[in-house]
Amino acid sequence: MSLVFSYKEDFTLESGKVVQGFHLAYTTWGHLNSARDNVIWVFHALTANSNPAEWWPGIVGPNAFLNPEQYFIVCVNMPSSCYGSISPLSTNPQTGEPYYHQFPMFTTRDMVRSYQLLQQHLGIEKVYLGIGGSMGGQQLLEWAIEDPALFENIVPIATNAFHSSWGIAFNTSQRQCIEADPTWKQQHATAGIEGMKVARSVALLSYRHYDTYQQSQAGYTPETAHLPVDEQVARAETYQQYQGEKLARRFNAFSYYFLSKAMDTHNVGRGRQSAQKALQSITARTLVIGISSDLLFPPSEQAFIAQHIPGAQLSVIDSFYGHDGFLLEYDTIIKLLTGFLDISSQHKQLSTQQVLINQ
Ligand SMILES: CC(=O)SCCNC(=O)CCNC(=O)[C@H](O)C(C)(C)COP(=O)(O)OP(=O)(O)OC[C@H]1O[C@@H](n2cnc3c(N)ncnc32)[C@H](O)[C@@H]1OP(=O)(O)O
Ligand SMILES: N[C@@H](CCO)C(=O)O
């Protein structure tokens, strides 16, 4: 069910800026059981939406591993995204016009603080499993630190505790692409869209891997393969162009810009002594998953997370997809989740038995 949560009060962001209310588009699927202990909270990454069945169909959906028959599944469209939550395209109550460039950036911590208000609204006191990849994993870690008692299990995938200099450099280059678009300073919803196409093609270089391109984009497009060498067009060339066009059909340059800024500021250690200390405060059972060929969030970042969360397990999936493997390696992720959650439910039964025996 697609829903919208509206918060009417002032909401103060980490930056000190105040938004006069906000709204969150979210999806719920299934029913909260009487024990209120079947909640799965899924966090989406940069350009996805609040419907995980669309972008994680192997993992979430009817008859899938995370299914609405068994669980109450919640996913929120992150603030700044153009899929229904407060964003640069929303009306600024102070001017009556869209925010556009004046949008107050939501950090990953601000996002989580907005989700906490939705959590209260939904009457959720416990989350059985929090799961998310990339920027979704960043929010999950923030929340597991903000409110350690909330999560029973967490599975952060292909993510980090603070965004790396390498990641910030990639994001900066992408914002430079948008800034170089002559329409970017204009006040309309499609400003910067040509720049965003180039930004996406730069981003693809960090989401894929040398081997992904070698295996899926070798050679020349069939239409030009017979032409003289100076007229041939490489598959990798049209692929890069196509990916930019494809995103421009469904996304917005303002959202892209502010989300990439938010990712850059992600640091669970901010105001908490250090990232290590912050991670140490997590009490949820934790499985951290990495992708062996991830150039953007390399496995060393997941090793760092697992090293500092008490009792955390680490699994690295051997994949040639690169960072986007977290969206594509369904079968392996499900295998890992099965092992991890089986043990969790055994623990749950055990602790219930212990409670009964103690009584
Ligand atoms: C509201 C929503 O739609 S949200 C749901 C969609 N988006 C998201 O969820 C965001 C997360 N998902 C993603 O980032 C991506 O979908 C991924 C990573 C899961 C998969 O990426 P894809 O782009 O689908 O796969 P891949 O990299 O193999 O590219 C396939 C596409 O490129 C095209 N393509 C492949 N090679 C070439 C080439 N040489 N030249 C031109 N086009 C090419 C294919 O025809 C295909 O096009 P299509 O998507 O229009 O069918
Ligand atoms: N490919 C992902 C971003 C990588 O985290 C997306 O478009 O959301």
Side-chain angles (χ1 to χ4, degrees):
M1 203 184 329
S2 297
L3 297 156
V4 176
F5 167 67
S6 291
Y7 183 73
K8 307 279 185 206
E9 309 292 319
D10 284 356
F11 183 76
T12 305
L13 301 166
E14 270 198 278
S15 61
K17 291 182 180 159
V18 177
V19 281
Q20 296 175 344
F22 64 82
H23 58 281
L24 299 174
Y26 68 102
T27 302
T28 67
W29 217 353
H31 298 283
L32 193 57
N33 62 13
S34 54
R36 296 178 168 262
D37 65 357
N38 67 333
V39 176
I40 307 278
W41 201 297
V42 182
F43 299 78
H44 72 76
L46 184 66
T47 71
N49 58 16
S50 68
N51 184 358
E54 259 182 44
W55 49 267
W56 233 1
I59 295 181
V60 183
N63 306 315
F65 184 74
L66 301 179
N67 61 76
E69 295 82 24
Q70 193 176 356
Y71 298 111
F72 181 57
I73 301 164
V74 183
C75 181
V76 189
N77 178 229
M78 63 177 129
S80 305
S81 167
C82 51
Y83 289 126
S85 290
I86 183 171
S87 81
L89 303 184
S90 303
T91 302
N92 178 350
Q94 284 180 334
T95 62
E97 301 290 330
Y99 285 105
Y100 294 139
H101 309 83
Q102 268 63 54
F103 187 69
M105 184 191 65
F106 279 63
T107 63
T108 48
R109 198 170 299 174
D110 292 324
M111 291 174 184
V112 160
R113 288 176 179 166
S114 75
Y115 303 162
Q116 286 179 313
L117 294 161
L118 171 62
Q119 175 212 336
Q120 286 164 22
H121 169 77
L122 293 173
I124 292 173
E125 286 167 3
K126 201 84 196 158
V127 173
Y128 172 60
L129 171 67
I131 183 166
S134 196
M135 199 174 176
Q138 293 180 332
Q139 295 160 64
L140 171 58
L141 288 175
E142 265 296 341
W143 201 349
I145 292 162
E146 280 278 287
D147 184 1
L150 180 65
F151 293 96
E152 199 171 328
N153 300 287
I154 61 169
V155 180
I157 311 175
T159 194
N160 53 21
F162 49 88
H163 211 45
S164 65
S165 305
W166 175 246
I168 293 170
F170 259 108
N171 282 339
T172 303
S173 296
Q174 292 170 53
R175 289 194 298 274
Q176 285 179 308
C177 296
I178 293 173
E179 287 159 358
D181 181 329
T183 68
W184 171 237
K185 284 293 161 209
Q186 296 171 5
Q187 303 284 308
H188 56 80
T190 56
I193 199 75
E194 290 301 318
M196 192 193 75
K197 292 179 187 175
V198 187
R200 184 65 165 183
S201 89
V202 171
L204 257 285
L205 304 176
S206 69
Y207 299 159
R208 304 283 187 271
H209 187 267
Y210 178 95
D211 294 336
T212 340
Y213 280 87
Q214 283 304 102
Q215 289 196 30
S216 67
Q217 298 300 334
Y220 295 93
T221 57
E223 303 78 39
T224 65
H226 65 284
L227 296 175
V229 66
D230 60 340
E231 292 175 36
Q232 290 177 352
V233 180
R235 280 182 202 268
E237 184 175 344
T238 56
Y239 178 73
Q240 291 300 96
Q241 290 160 347
Y242 179 75
Q243 289 289 335
E245 295 292 337
K246 184 177 165 182
L247 187 71
R249 288 202 293 266
R250 67 174 182 86
F251 216 70
N252 175 267
F254 289 102
S255 289
Y256 200 94
Y257 196 92
F258 282 98
L259 288 172
S260 97
K261 272 277 188 199
M263 206 190 307
D264 286 0
T265 65
H266 170 68
N267 183 351
V268 298
R270 185 165 52 248
R272 298 175 177 137
Q273 291 184 285
S274 67
Q276 289 91 326
K277 283 258 180 235
L279 293 169
Q280 279 160 16
S281 68
I282 292 178
T283 55
R285 287 185 69 245
T286 303
L287 168 66
V288 189
I289 301 179
I291 307 289
S292 60
S293 53
D294 190 338
L295 301 171
L296 187 57
F297 294 71
S300 58
E301 297 195 331
Q302 293 86 59
F304 177 86
I305 296 169
Q307 187 189 344
H308 295 289
I309 298 179
Q313 299 170 37
L314 171 68
S315 288
V316 177
I317 298 175
D318 188 20
S319 167
F320 89 115
Y321 284 122
H323 177 62
D324 270 345
F326 83 92
L327 291 160
L328 299 163
E329 295 285 1
Y330 305 148
D331 291 344
T332 315
I333 291 175
I334 288 170
K335 268 188 206 137
L336 292 171
L337 283 176
T338 307
F340 177 64
L341 294 178
D342 268 359
I343 294 166
S344 161
S345 62
Q346 280 165 21
H347 269 276
K348 210 169 171 179
Q349 282 165 11
L350 255 184
S351 55
T352 314
Q353 281 164 12
Q354 279 164 358
V355 170
L356 291 175
I357 290 162
N358 289 342
Q359 282 171 348

